[in-house]
Amino acid sequence: MSLRFYDTATAQIRDFVPLKKGEVSLYYCGATVQGKPHVGHIRSAIVFDQLTRWLQFRGFRVTTVRNVTDIDDKILAKAADSVGAEPSADVVPDEPWWALAYRFEQEFAKAYDTLGVQRPTYEPRATGHIPEMHALISRLIDAGHAYPALDNSGDVYFDVRSWDKYGSLTRQNIDDMQAAPDAGPRGKRDPRDFALWKGHKDGEPETAAWDSPWGKGRPGWHLECSAMVTKYLGPQFDIHGGGLDLRFPHHENEMAQSQAAGDGFANFWMHNGMVTFEGEKMSKSIGNTVSPSEMLAEASPRVVRYYLGQAHYRSVLDYRPTSLQEAAAAVERIDGFIDKARAKVYSTGDHGFVLDTRSMPAAFAEAMDDDLNVPQALAVLHDTVRSGNTALAAGRTDDVRDALHAVLTMTMALGLDAVQQPARTEGPEHNALDALIQDQLQQRLDARAAKDWARADAIRDSLAAAGIAVEDTPDGARWSLAQG
């Protein structure tokens, strides 16, 4: 099966053929760093990390760009609110806007790294690309698709009625659209026209304004992405991604301004679905939100990544109080097999796992090729775990090895290995702990031999209370740190 992805612009699943043989150019929208990451940000990052990894597994050289919006109305408002404020976990009193943006940018980076999201090839900040934005605005004005504000405010607007394809990404009629809320209507020809450049206003920090041919000011949100993606990926590239909530107005406006300037822009548009809470949209106002940090306080990064990446990327992912428990059980089944299979296989002289994509089950590859069907791919993974456990019970070492290598290959393709925290297997601390536990296990073995079941159970319970899991196998008792 060839690679096939759903293209939002055409509302069809299409065969994916990159613009340049053997290479893929991917841009997906990063964060506006006004606050800590929410679960929607992280789900989107994991989705496009899965896509990147799969393209790499398929042999493509992938250039990935994820932007950082570090200048924005909301960032300026948050900084203004910090003046004279009391310090808290999220508030630094009298914090400049650029310091606030950088602080939260680091929070996003920490969350991405914790959950195994690969760093992009390039991660440009909006404030570092002002000249490129000026150049794009000038091209649009020269082409008759943009104009300086009629009220001489220093704003520059995109003329939506000058571009007859406006609304095509979301299949809307201009007359049915709401007014663009990013600037007042006084300087606009049409209330739906959106800001490319925002003139500096009284009360705004001088540091948040740059000189331009139209007066001091700062870029509009939509303009930033168009300028940055074309700098790093060129006027036409393979895939533009982001959350479904960005389709309109952000991506609609990106596509319009870029194509109106003469750029081919994205060949595919891919959008991930939202995260809900028991069927309802998450909202701070009704108190049904759950943050990545809250998830990570409840479960390991490996479990959180599994949960956030388990649904089909275009579907809604619904969070319930038991969601992480269910994900943990699934991860424990996978990891339990990996641990037992490694102990069985590598004790026979096998020197370890070397990635070979031929170990990957064909059904897994077919699922991933078919619009990144992760749920079906996970079904193949769990089927392989079950067959591997059957082979373990029957003592079929060759079959165990094949299943183990298949499982390790699939977990790598999904990025689950990137957040795995392996237990220490060497060093003085581990050796000391192992010596103490082995003594306890020998005492337990002696108690069982003497049919002193109460003593044997007491030793096992004591180890469990200390966070040590004991598993009885045909080759003897094995211990590991209990999964948190």
Side-chain angles (χ1 to χ4, degrees):
M1 177 185 290
S2 61
L3 276 168
R4 305 173 71 235
F5 299 130
Y6 181 85
D7 175 27
T8 307
T10 60
Q12 294 178 343
I13 293 179
R14 299 167 46 206
D15 287 345
F16 176 76
V17 179
L19 296 169
K20 188 173 181 179
K21 186 177 181 180
E23 299 185 16
V24 175
S25 46
L26 165 65
Y27 180 94
Y28 70 94
C29 285
T32 299
V33 286
Q34 57 165 315
K36 292 182 178 179
H38 60 63
V39 70
H41 292 131
I42 303 305
R43 186 199 180 185
S44 186
I46 288 174
V47 161
F48 291 103
D49 184 65
Q50 289 175 330
L51 173 62
T52 300
R53 290 174 185 274
W54 184 244
L55 290 168
Q56 291 170 335
F57 255 76
R58 278 310 197 196
F60 293 103
R61 179 177 178 269
V62 185
T63 300
T64 307
V65 181
R66 180 182 66 214
N67 72 298
V68 177
T69 298
D70 60 343
I71 181 67
D72 176 84
D73 290 348
K74 294 176 181 177
I75 293 171
L76 296 183
K78 285 282 186 72
D81 289 343
S82 78
V83 176
E86 292 294 323
S88 70
D90 294 331
V91 177
V92 174
D94 305 317
E95 187 173 29
W97 65 270
W98 45 266
L100 180 147
Y102 184 73
R103 176 164 62 90
F104 286 122
E105 181 183 335
Q106 299 310 300
E107 292 283 346
F108 276 84
K110 179 181 177 181
Y112 295 148
D113 289 346
T114 299
L115 293 170
V117 176
Q118 296 181 109
R119 294 290 178 99
T121 314
Y122 308 110
E123 192 166 20
R125 297 188 184 104
T127 54
H129 296 78
I130 301 300
E132 291 85 355
M133 297 175 197
H134 289 168
L136 179 54
I137 293 172
S138 295
R139 289 168 61 197
L140 287 166
I141 291 174
D142 292 345
H145 296 297
Y147 59 93
L150 306 178
D151 60 358
N152 298 315
S153 62
D155 295 344
V156 180
Y157 298 108
F158 181 83
D159 184 351
V160 295
R161 291 193 182 274
S162 74
W163 183 243
D164 61 5
K165 297 178 182 177
Y166 188 70
S168 61
L169 180 64
T170 51
R171 288 171 284 283
Q172 295 185 81
N173 184 289
I174 290 180
D175 293 325
D176 296 330
M177 297 179 185
Q178 296 180 341
D182 55 0
R186 291 184 304 167
K188 297 182 179 183
R189 295 174 182 170
D190 187 293
R192 300 161 189 82
D193 293 347
F194 58 88
L196 302 172
W197 187 255
K198 296 185 175 184
H200 185 65
K201 308 294 190 298
D202 290 341
E204 293 181 343
E206 291 295 328
T207 54
W210 289 261
D211 291 331
S212 83
W214 313 282
K216 290 182 72 69
R218 54 190 169 85
W221 176 35
H222 315 301
L223 181 81
E224 296 173 354
C225 285
S226 288
M228 288 187 283
V229 66
T230 53
K231 174 171 181 174
Y232 293 96
L233 298 181
Q236 188 167 15
F237 54 97
D238 291 306
I239 301 170
H240 192 313
L244 190 63
D245 58 326
L246 297 178
R247 264 200 332 152
F248 187 87
H250 186 46
H251 289 166
E252 186 75 69
N253 292 352
E254 271 191 71
M255 188 173 82
Q257 67 198 4
S258 296
Q259 292 182 347
D263 296 336
F265 214 55
N267 193 27
F268 273 76
W269 288 86
M270 296 178 68
H271 291 93
N272 65 274
M274 301 295 98
V275 183
T276 59
F277 189 102
E278 295 187 302
E280 299 291 334
K281 180 179 179 181
M282 287 192 181
S283 171
K284 289 183 179 180
S285 63
I286 60 176
N288 69 343
T289 62
V290 58
S291 69
S293 59
E294 289 172 327
M295 288 186 178
L296 287 166
E298 183 178 339
S300 71
R302 192 164 162 85
V303 169
V304 174
R305 180 178 174 109
Y306 183 98
Y307 165 68
L308 290 175
Q310 68 182 333
H312 192 281
Y313 76 92
R314 288 193 284 121
S315 68
V316 171
L317 176 63
D318 191 43
Y319 181 83
R320 304 178 309 282
T322 59
S323 291
L324 292 178
Q325 297 172 21
E326 294 163 3
V331 170
E332 286 169 10
R333 286 193 294 272
I334 297 167
D335 289 350
F337 167 71
I338 290 173
D339 289 344
K340 290 182 288 186
R342 276 178 167 156
K344 181 70 173 177
V345 170
Y346 299 158
S347 66
T348 64
D350 196 310
H351 295 295
F353 170 70
V354 177
L355 176 64
D356 184 345
T357 55
R358 290 175 298 182
S359 300
M360 180 179 291
F364 181 93
E366 289 171 3
M368 295 295 283
D369 282 348
D370 186 16
D371 196 27
L372 213 66
N373 192 337
V374 171
Q376 186 59 44
L378 284 172
V380 177
L381 172 58
H382 285 288
D383 283 345
T384 307
V385 167
R386 282 190 286 272
S387 65
N389 280 324
T390 300
L392 270 169
R396 301 195 307 269
T397 303
D398 288 346
D399 291 341
V400 173
R401 180 185 295 105
D402 291 345
L404 173 62
H405 289 185
V407 167
L408 291 174
T409 302
M410 289 185 281
T411 57
M412 288 182 69
L414 294 170
L416 289 171
D417 66 306
V419 291
Q420 186 175 12
Q421 301 295 328
R424 287 181 61 94
T425 57
E426 57 184 20
E429 298 89 348
H430 173 82
N431 293 338
L433 180 62
D434 183 60
L436 292 170
I437 295 173
Q438 291 298 342
D439 179 67
Q440 291 288 298
L441 292 178
Q442 184 60 50
Q443 291 184 41
R444 177 172 175 264
L445 182 62
D446 294 342
R448 288 163 65 97
K451 298 185 178 181
D452 188 351
W453 310 119
R455 171 66 176 155
D457 289 345
I459 292 172
R460 182 170 189 145
D461 292 344
S462 177
L463 289 170
I468 307 298
V470 176
E471 179 182 7
D472 292 310
T473 76
D475 300 318
R478 297 174 55 243
W479 70 270
S480 63
L481 297 177
Q483 297 293 316

